[in-house]
Amino acid sequence: MTYIAKPKLHHPGLPANALGFTHRDYEGRISTLCAGCGHDSISAALIQACFELDIAPHRLAKLSGIGCSSKTPDYFLGQSHGFNSVHGRMPSVLTGANLANRELVYLGVSGDGDSASIGLGQFAHCVRRGVNMVYICENNGVYGLTKGQFSATADKGSQSKTGGVNKDSPIDLVSLALLLGATFVARSFSGDKKQLVPLIKAAITHRGPAILDVISPCVTFNNHAGSTKSFDFVREHNQAMNRLDFVPAKKEITVDYAPGTTEIVCQHDGSLLKLAKLHEHYDPSDRVAALTHLHERSAAGEIVTGLLYIDADAEDLHGHLATVDAPLNRMNEKDLCPGAEALEALNAEYR
Ligand SMILES: Cc1ncc(C[n+]2csc(CCOP(=O)(O)OP(=O)(O)O)c2C)c(N)n1
Ligand code: SF4
Ligand SMILES: [Mg+2]
């Protein structure tokens, strides 16, 4: 079942992007997830975002842990690099790959169990180190793959399919990411492609740790009355904070966005984020205000979605470490191993 390939047939009339790739070139194998799983909608949004950004598939590396969510990289970007790691260990594998070759786009795909339970320490450290990546947590409040146990993001008082009530306090990955110093923090909903696609595009273009928490209902174990991650619950409690569109620097796109105040954020590569704010005083450059807003709305029972925080001039891990520009696989032996004398001089600096 896991290895069902899609037929290679392409309709000759399929639109192509600037690189000549069609949508099909960004797809993967046929998904084996439950029909209607929110994770499949996120895969579709990722495909659309990469197609629209004209990313050459071989310039992207997708890494994941273990879970239904972590299986999804098999279902999109079939021509990209991929590494399905161990449960909760994706961040350290991604960090290592990124240090070896900074020229690829790094996409970390994880679940709430993978990120907020077994992988919480790994999540924290890759964020605080400033690894340049898009980190997507496909958040359904349960361990979907292992039959629906509560995860650490499940809300207190929410009910499982088998009737158990969660007594533990939830971990909010968005608040945590803000506290840990993430330079791009957003939340969305798998069923809101209009919001999710521009957020993914913006996150890919951001340099630094871009954390995207995407509420993604599990139709099998967390879509019943009493669950706070179900389609119906999120639809009723979703409070979209700003409407976002993404304008790549190389071509102007006319956008259709809601009236209200707007703000343009210029990222380090010159690309622009155009925000149409629904809340008059919301400022995505204020980390403290983002945390306050999140907590206030959460206390009112609302789920804030949108771009909560961005630092467009952030420096990433390579900046902190002053690493070389060239990927290690393009350096010669002499540069990689400068000899005993150079090593001695380096060691002397630390004595
Ligand atoms: C070290 C280890 N512990 C436990 C497991 C069992 N396990 C597999 S997936 C999973 C949880 C997945 O939950 P989540 O990350 O939320 O993904 P979802 O299936 O909900 O998308 C667990 C506990 C494992 N594979 N490895
Ligand atoms: S068990 Fe839940 S998370 Fe896993 S594929 Fe099915 S619907 Fe998706
Ligand atoms: Mg989960």
Side-chain angles (χ1 to χ4, degrees):
M1 279 293 282
T2 321
Y3 297 104
I4 304 173
K6 283 186 185 164
K8 290 222 166 82
L9 263 172
H10 275 214
H11 189 282
L14 273 184
N17 63 13
L19 299 178
F21 291 116
T22 70
H23 208 265
R24 289 296 307 271
D25 295 311
Y26 293 85
E27 293 176 0
R29 291 192 175 104
I30 290 174
S31 171
T32 59
L33 301 187
C34 308
C37 176
H39 299 350
D40 276 336
S41 309
I42 300 172
S43 298
L46 282 162
I47 289 169
Q48 190 176 327
C50 292
F51 170 80
E52 289 177 7
L53 277 181
D54 303 318
I55 293 175
H58 70 284
R59 304 306 304 154
L60 186 142
K62 38 183 191 159
L63 298 98
S64 61
I66 299 289
C68 298
S69 34
S70 292
K71 279 171 70 178
T72 62
D74 207 22
Y75 313 138
F76 59 83
L77 295 166
Q79 300 177 49
S80 299
H81 304 277
F83 197 105
N84 191 200
S85 74
V86 187
H87 199 21
R89 268 58 179 176
M90 172 273 285
S92 42
V93 181
L94 189 152
T95 304
N98 183 298
L99 280 171
N101 185 351
R102 60 159 76 182
E103 289 188 353
L104 302 180
V105 174
Y106 287 94
L107 179 60
V109 180
S110 183
D112 42 311
D114 200 60
S115 291
S117 296
I118 194 169
L120 189 61
Q122 296 246 332
F123 172 80
H125 290 289
C126 73
V127 173
R128 64 176 269 275
R129 283 184 180 135
V131 180
N132 185 17
M133 63 183 172
V134 178
Y135 189 120
I136 295 195
C137 178
E138 306 191 345
N139 187 353
N140 52 19
V142 292
Y143 298 166
L145 190 73
T146 52
K147 302 276 179 278
Q149 302 87 343
F150 287 121
S151 81
T153 67
D155 291 308
K156 201 171 186 167
S158 65
Q159 220 177 312
S160 77
K161 195 178 178 178
T162 49
V165 175
N166 182 37
K167 303 259 169 65
D168 300 331
S169 296
I171 291 175
D172 177 20
L173 289 172
V174 158
S175 302
L176 194 56
L178 282 165
L179 286 171
L180 290 164
T183 48
F184 181 111
V185 182
R187 182 158 54 205
S188 191
F189 177 55
S190 60
D192 188 355
K193 215 171 175 184
K194 215 169 172 184
Q195 182 188 54
L196 184 55
V197 173
L199 278 176
I200 293 172
K201 288 163 78 174
I204 288 177
T205 318
H206 179 72
R207 179 179 52 204
I211 308 303
L212 256 170
D213 179 35
V214 187
I215 309 289
S216 175
C218 167
V219 289
T220 304
F221 296 112
N222 213 350
N223 198 31
H224 49 277
S227 156
T228 55
K229 299 276 192 290
S230 68
F231 281 106
D232 289 344
F233 186 92
V234 177
R235 253 186 226 119
E236 276 163 31
H237 294 78
N238 182 12
Q239 194 218 14
M241 215 171 57
N242 41 31
R243 189 165 296 178
L244 174 142
D245 219 314
F246 178 84
V247 186
K250 54 188 171 182
K251 60 175 186 234
E252 274 279 319
I253 298 174
T254 45
V255 290
D256 176 18
Y257 57 97
T261 52
T262 59
E263 181 164 308
I264 294 176
V265 180
C266 185
Q267 302 209 78
H268 69 279
D269 67 348
S271 59
L272 304 174
L273 292 176
K274 193 179 278 184
L275 309 175
K277 290 197 211 168
L278 299 181
H279 290 267
E280 221 180 311
H281 303 296
Y282 190 78
D283 174 6
S285 69
D286 187 336
R287 192 182 288 276
V288 176
L291 274 164
T292 307
H293 188 75
L294 268 172
H295 290 168
E296 280 174 1
R297 299 329 310 157
S298 168
E302 290 170 354
I303 300 166
V304 177
T305 64
L307 179 61
L308 282 144
Y309 177 73
I310 182 168
D311 174 1
D313 298 317
E315 183 189 72
D316 76 338
L317 178 63
H318 285 281
H320 305 336
L321 297 178
T323 56
V324 287
D325 288 339
L328 299 188
N329 64 359
R330 265 194 258 141
M331 293 173 71
N332 60 34
E333 201 183 331
K334 188 171 163 290
D335 289 334
L336 286 170
C337 183
E341 220 169 279
L343 187 62
E344 188 50 41
L346 187 68
N347 281 339
E349 282 179 33
Y350 296 102
R351 285 191 187 115

